[in-house]
Amino acid sequence: MLLIDKYKPKNYEEIKGQDIALKKLQDFTTSFKNFKQKYALIYGPSGVGKTTSVYNLAEKLDLELVELNASNFRNKEAINNIIGNSLKQKSLFCKGKLILIDDMDGISGNNDRGGLQELMNLTEITPYPIIFTMNDIEPRKFEKVIKKAFLIEFKRLEQNIILSLLKEICNKEKINYSEEDLLKISKYADGDLRAAILDLETCIENKKLLPEATQVLGNRIKHEEIIKILNTIFKLKDAKIIINSADNSDINLIDPSPYVGPVIFDNENTLFYWLEENIPAEYSGDSLIYAYDKLSKADVFHGRILNRQHWDFLIYIRNLLFFGVSIANKTPSKLLLNYKKTKRSPKNNFKLWPLVNSRKRKIAEKFAGYTYISTRRAIKDMPYFKFIIKDNNELAKDLNLTEEEAEWLDN
């Protein structure tokens, strides 16, 4: 059995970190006819106990739970057939019913064909409490739903609560662990207990928590940080917020090793590559030219850092990437972009980079063997080699360069 199933809260009291929300939920369910609002809306991030709370509350109050996922029906007829019939029928074996409509985020859209309105109509005549769940409240999209709902917020779990539960699981399962690794997992979960338990299981092998496995989780969090920073750069003009984003992030501003081997590509966690990919989607005309000018200057300083080890230049790179690109657009759109959904990630954009750098290294190795210098020195002196070998076919033959390598050096 998976840990996420084995350690799922067995009763209402086992749900941690949501005391206020749990009390509100129970009060509404037991006395909903006395409430002005006709239904409750539970909202909050994934993995904090929203759906589990409703399940356990139904069991505690001996109510028949009727669970429906909003994404499975969108039109008026489907809602009437499924929910309408459930509201008309009495429970055979329990004191009453509790209607759970999960993932309300998925019901509103162009294809609803009156579905949302029909759902609202049913809440006016329901003899049973109805509970909606939603990850994010979007006032513009769900204005009517929110206005008439009894709102219950489930908050992100505190890190110490997640850490305590992970320790409890490890001790019961006799898993060998270090507190430092559990701290990483609880931090990377970002308040999502379900994610923390799944991550814990992923990092376990032969009853031992592998420290190296937790590093992968850190890369995932960096990816989330980059998305937030991109929106900060492209959408905001507040210098304090931009500085705060820079100072509180440990993402790579620029790839530390594209020129020296072995080449390690971390473009998914490197801000420079994300900006390079997304600037054309955000800017046009003079703004586009200005932003790429700042990006190119950042790349120049990057080269100086690598060649001369002048790490003081990193502050210039930060300013160019954060401020230079940000001020390029005078009138940015206020609409925040979800760079996961738009798929403007640098991942696919850099399929050719390993090929280019691999070729460069192979050429450098040939020069190093021919001139009796180190490969690293050959990489550094590559611009001079390109000048020397130009139109020198004999040297190209002596180095045993392929046609593609010789062409690359000639460009």
Side-chain angles (χ1 to χ4, degrees):
M1 181 184 291
L2 294 174
L3 294 179
I4 190 65
D5 295 323
K6 188 174 182 179
Y7 290 95
K8 197 172 185 176
K10 302 297 188 298
N11 56 63
Y12 204 58
E13 287 67 30
E14 285 187 11
I15 299 169
K16 305 295 183 182
Q18 307 291 357
D19 294 348
I20 296 175
L22 293 175
K23 185 178 185 308
K24 285 185 176 182
L25 178 59
Q26 183 168 340
D27 289 346
F28 175 82
T29 305
T30 54
S31 309
F32 85 102
K33 290 183 179 180
N34 299 326
F35 276 73
K36 179 181 178 181
Q37 297 89 346
K38 300 298 183 181
Y39 54 89
L41 172 58
I42 300 176
Y43 67 96
S46 300
V48 295
K50 300 190 297 295
T51 304
T52 301
S53 298
V54 180
Y55 265 86
N56 288 341
L57 180 61
E59 185 176 347
K60 178 180 179 179
L61 301 178
D62 191 25
L63 299 175
E64 178 187 342
L65 181 66
V66 179
E67 182 189 7
L68 305 163
N69 193 292
S71 61
N72 292 335
F73 51 85
R74 290 174 174 266
N75 57 62
K76 181 178 179 179
E77 291 73 22
I79 289 176
N80 244 325
N81 290 336
I82 301 173
I83 301 178
N85 289 334
S86 296
L87 296 178
K88 294 173 185 176
Q89 297 169 356
K90 290 185 177 181
S91 176
L92 294 176
F93 307 106
C94 300
K95 296 178 182 177
K97 285 185 179 182
L98 178 58
I99 312 296
L100 169 62
I101 302 177
D102 214 4
D103 294 329
M104 271 293 290
D105 312 65
I107 195 174
S108 183
N110 296 329
N111 300 320
D112 283 345
R113 298 188 293 278
L116 185 59
Q117 183 57 52
E118 181 63 19
L119 186 58
M120 293 299 97
N121 293 339
L122 290 174
T123 62
E124 296 292 333
I125 61 172
T126 176
Y128 307 116
I130 297 179
I131 310 293
F132 297 152
T133 70
M134 186 184 297
N135 288 334
D136 299 306
I137 285 187
E138 301 179 57
R140 189 178 302 176
K141 187 176 180 182
F142 293 102
E143 183 178 1
K144 293 181 180 179
V145 178
I146 296 168
K147 190 175 182 179
K148 296 183 178 181
F150 179 67
L151 298 176
I152 304 173
E153 181 184 9
F154 272 60
K155 297 183 178 180
R156 293 184 184 277
L157 294 177
E158 296 179 5
Q159 185 177 335
N160 64 321
I161 293 176
I162 294 178
L163 176 62
S164 175
L165 291 170
L166 293 182
K167 283 183 179 179
E168 182 180 336
I169 292 173
C170 286
N171 291 332
K172 287 181 177 179
E173 296 293 321
K174 297 181 179 180
I175 295 168
N176 186 14
Y177 68 91
S178 73
E179 186 157 337
E180 180 182 357
D181 291 328
L182 286 186
L183 274 169
K184 288 181 183 178
I185 294 175
S186 59
K187 174 187 175 184
Y188 296 153
D190 194 26
D192 186 335
L193 179 59
R194 182 168 58 236
I197 296 175
L198 288 172
D199 287 342
L200 174 65
E201 189 150 34
T202 302
C203 296
I204 293 173
E205 185 177 301
N206 297 325
K207 294 291 183 178
K208 183 178 180 181
L209 180 58
L210 304 177
E212 59 270 21
T214 61
Q215 181 60 40
V216 179
L217 308 180
N219 291 335
R220 182 187 67 200
I221 298 305
K222 285 184 179 181
H223 187 272
E224 298 294 330
E225 288 183 7
I226 287 177
I227 292 172
K228 292 178 183 177
I229 290 174
L230 286 176
N231 277 309
T232 301
I233 293 173
F234 286 133
K235 305 299 180 181
L236 301 178
K237 298 299 175 189
D238 192 315
K240 290 183 179 179
I241 296 177
I242 295 175
I243 290 173
N244 187 59
S245 295
D247 292 342
N248 292 326
S249 173
D250 60 352
I251 65 168
N252 298 328
L253 291 179
I254 202 159
D255 193 342
S257 60
Y259 303 122
V260 293
V263 179
I264 301 173
F265 288 90
D266 193 20
N267 40 291
E268 278 288 321
N269 291 322
T270 300
L271 180 62
F272 183 92
Y273 297 151
W274 279 89
L275 287 173
E276 183 180 35
E277 175 68 17
N278 285 282
I279 284 174
E282 296 289 329
Y283 299 158
S284 61
D286 291 340
S287 296
L288 180 66
I289 296 171
Y290 185 91
Y292 268 129
D293 177 65
K294 301 309 173 189
L295 199 68
S296 67
K297 285 182 170 61
D299 194 33
V300 170
F301 280 112
H302 179 220
R304 290 175 182 174
I305 289 175
L306 293 174
N307 292 330
R308 307 174 191 174
Q309 297 299 299
H310 289 172
W311 289 96
D312 291 343
F313 288 154
L314 196 61
I315 187 65
Y316 300 126
I317 292 178
R318 190 194 75 165
N319 290 342
L320 285 165
L321 295 185
F322 279 86
F323 295 106
V325 174
S326 179
I327 65 175
N329 197 9
K330 305 300 181 185
T331 56
S333 164
K334 293 182 179 180
L335 179 64
L336 300 184
L337 290 185
N338 185 330
Y339 291 94
K340 292 181 188 174
K341 291 183 179 179
T342 56
K343 298 181 180 179
R344 297 199 67 86
S345 159
K347 184 176 182 179
N348 294 328
N349 195 39
F350 280 82
K351 287 181 178 178
L352 293 177
W353 275 74
L355 174 62
V356 171
N357 284 272
S358 174
R359 181 175 295 163
K360 187 175 186 177
R361 183 170 180 82
K362 287 180 180 179
I363 295 172
E365 289 173 349
K366 292 178 180 180
F367 270 113
Y370 187 77
T371 56
Y372 300 98
I373 61 175
S374 67
T375 302
R376 183 167 182 169
R377 174 65 185 276
I379 292 174
K380 184 178 179 181
D381 292 342
M382 187 68 70
Y384 303 112
F385 291 137
K386 292 182 71 171
F387 179 77
I388 294 170
I389 204 171
K390 191 173 183 178
D391 299 326
N392 193 330
N393 294 329
E394 292 301 321
L395 182 56
K397 290 179 181 179
D398 290 342
L399 291 170
N400 198 25
L401 296 178
T402 65
E403 185 177 342
E404 290 80 9
E405 292 170 342
E407 184 179 354
W408 184 87
L409 278 172
D410 196 39
N411 291 330

